[in-house]
Amino acid sequence: MRPTFLCFALSLAAVGSCLTFSHSAHADKPVQLIFDTDLGNDVDDALAMGCIHALQSRGECELLAVTITKDHELAAAFADVINTFYGRGEIPIGVCRSDVTNGKGRFNGLAEIQDNGKDRFPHDLRSGKDAPDAVNLLRRTLASAEDNSVVIAQVGFSTNLANLLDAPADDISPMTGRELVEKKVQKLSVMAGAFTQIKNDKGQLYDHKEYNVIKDIPAAQKLAKEWPTPILWSGYEIGIALRYPHESIEQDYGYVEHHPLAEAYIAYMPPPHDRPTWDLTCVLQLVRPDRDYFGLTPVGTVTVADDGLTTFEEDPSGRDQYFTLNELQIARTVEALQLLSSEPPHQQ
């Protein structure tokens, strides 16, 4: 969808305002963020990490940990590539050992590429085999956090967070996983499900069973039934309405010879291709909740059926909301995501 000239002008003005004032508005209390991702299954996870690092450089958030739900050793390694590229290679990374999507993926192999005997992208974590268990890292991160201070963006499967709910007390904390979530987590945003019908390649509407749900349906069901804090759901329909402009990949990342996000995008599906921005949406809403990038429905309850279909029923006593979009929001939000994803690393 092409924005009108007026929408484009308004989007530039709004984004410009964000660029001018966002740092001072959040510098005193950056959003404390955990990013739970199936990095390697699609490139929007990588672009979302670029957004996070740009927002952290602006003082708007702090990335506490990255946890992985793609069970391949190079997923953690490529997460470390991205963190290191942005000058934050110390950020801890945890992994699951679930055997869910255990292939390398189209771009995680960038972590192994060498030029003239040296890593193209320097990083220390060579394999997920050397990373801690995701649930242990989640427990450690939450245990050390202030009460009601952490937000979580889950943009892969629900495996890690479902397992966290079942985690018993241990030497990390006398609280169970569920108790830690109740005490430490303010809200969760998940890229999962679909809350409108989707058009197929023939233009026919159908009930879409979304990838992040169907790859681990029991975990998604557990999360939907038992998670104790508010959940904001970014459905499949949101990401496909916000497509990352391939021109940005070709033009905005050339400030270095090799950029991990641009090379990941090209390895996943070369331009010209405007990839949906599913995972970026959760990050943007959690860190900038008051910018009107998205609408939110009234509260209600999300249910995950045994076949993976998600449904929402409005209920004033409910816990869940899902994202909505209008045309002006589409123009503004794509512009913001593009500018944040392509922003150069902060000079330490």
Side-chain angles (χ1 to χ4, degrees):
M1 182 180 298
R2 292 181 179 273
T4 64
F5 178 80
L6 175 59
C7 289
F8 182 69
L10 286 171
S11 77
L12 287 178
V15 171
S17 175
C18 294
L19 297 183
T20 302
F21 297 114
S22 62
H23 184 279
S24 61
H26 294 266
D28 57 334
K29 194 174 182 181
V31 172
Q32 303 293 289
L33 174 67
I34 294 171
F35 188 62
D36 188 70
T37 170
D38 62 330
L39 184 67
N41 287 332
D42 204 328
V43 76
D44 51 330
D45 302 72
L47 293 172
M49 291 185 71
C51 280
I52 292 170
H53 283 289
L55 290 163
Q56 180 158 339
S57 295
R58 293 160 174 265
E60 297 185 49
C61 74
E62 180 182 0
L63 180 57
L64 303 177
V66 177
T67 48
I68 311 286
T69 54
K70 181 175 175 61
D71 191 6
H72 188 276
E73 63 186 66
L74 289 182
F78 191 63
D80 193 46
V81 162
I82 296 173
N83 289 343
T84 303
F85 177 82
Y86 287 96
R88 301 186 180 101
E90 77 286 353
I91 292 172
I93 297 168
V95 301
C96 69
R97 294 172 175 91
S98 64
D99 205 33
V100 176
T101 61
N102 57 10
K104 180 168 65 174
R106 300 180 190 177
F107 58 80
N108 283 336
L110 291 169
E112 294 185 315
I113 287 183
Q114 294 194 331
D115 300 316
N116 300 318
K118 295 183 178 180
D119 286 334
R120 174 175 295 179
F121 301 110
H123 61 290
D124 296 326
L125 181 60
R126 312 307 301 185
S127 168
K129 295 176 182 178
D130 302 320
D133 176 79
V135 172
N136 286 346
L137 178 57
L138 288 166
R139 288 182 54 77
R140 195 174 302 278
T141 303
L142 293 177
S144 63
E146 295 181 5
D147 291 354
N148 196 39
S149 67
V150 176
V151 300
I152 302 175
Q154 178 196 288
V155 300
F157 319 130
S158 298
T159 314
N160 287 336
L161 298 192
N163 289 341
L164 174 63
L165 290 176
D166 284 340
D170 56 14
D171 58 353
I172 295 173
S173 171
M175 290 185 282
T176 65
R178 185 185 307 272
E179 290 167 341
L180 277 170
V181 171
E182 290 174 343
K183 191 173 183 65
K184 304 291 187 173
V185 177
Q186 181 187 118
K187 68 180 69 171
L188 165 67
S189 186
V190 297
M191 193 281 112
F195 300 98
T196 64
Q197 288 190 310
I198 306 299
K199 287 184 179 180
N200 63 18
D201 55 6
K202 297 180 180 179
Q204 300 165 325
L205 291 172
Y206 72 100
D207 293 328
H208 182 71
K209 298 166 187 175
E210 192 269 324
Y211 178 82
N212 285 347
V213 173
I214 64 172
K215 283 298 180 181
D216 193 344
I217 292 174
Q221 290 178 317
K222 185 176 187 64
L223 188 86
K225 289 178 182 177
E226 300 182 21
W227 189 262
T229 78
I231 303 180
L232 308 179
W233 298 76
S234 182
Y236 181 85
E237 66 276 6
I238 299 299
I240 59 174
L242 300 167
R243 292 183 178 269
Y244 195 91
H246 69 271
E247 294 88 352
S248 174
I249 297 298
E250 296 169 325
Q251 299 171 21
D252 296 342
Y253 294 80
Y255 51 81
V256 290
E257 183 179 3
H258 295 289
H259 197 297
L261 303 189
E263 293 194 16
Y265 193 106
I266 293 165
Y268 184 79
M269 189 172 292
H273 173 73
D274 296 342
R275 196 72 195 141
T277 60
W278 292 294
D279 296 349
L280 291 72
T281 62
C282 292
V283 170
L284 192 62
Q285 179 64 24
L286 286 172
V287 180
R288 292 180 171 179
D290 302 321
R291 302 293 186 89
D292 193 35
Y293 291 121
F294 306 97
L296 291 172
T297 63
V299 294
T301 301
V302 169
T303 301
V304 178
D306 289 342
D307 63 357
L309 185 66
T310 52
T311 55
F312 174 84
E313 183 175 352
E314 190 173 328
D315 178 355
S317 63
R319 171 206 60 193
D320 302 306
Q321 295 173 280
Y322 66 83
F323 290 24
T324 63
L325 272 175
N326 60 43
E327 285 198 32
L328 182 56
Q329 287 171 326
I330 289 173
R332 294 182 62 245
T333 304
V334 167
E335 189 78 11
L337 293 174
Q338 176 184 330
L339 290 174
L340 289 169
S341 296
S342 62
E343 186 169 300
H346 177 67
Q347 297 300 314
Q348 303 292 332

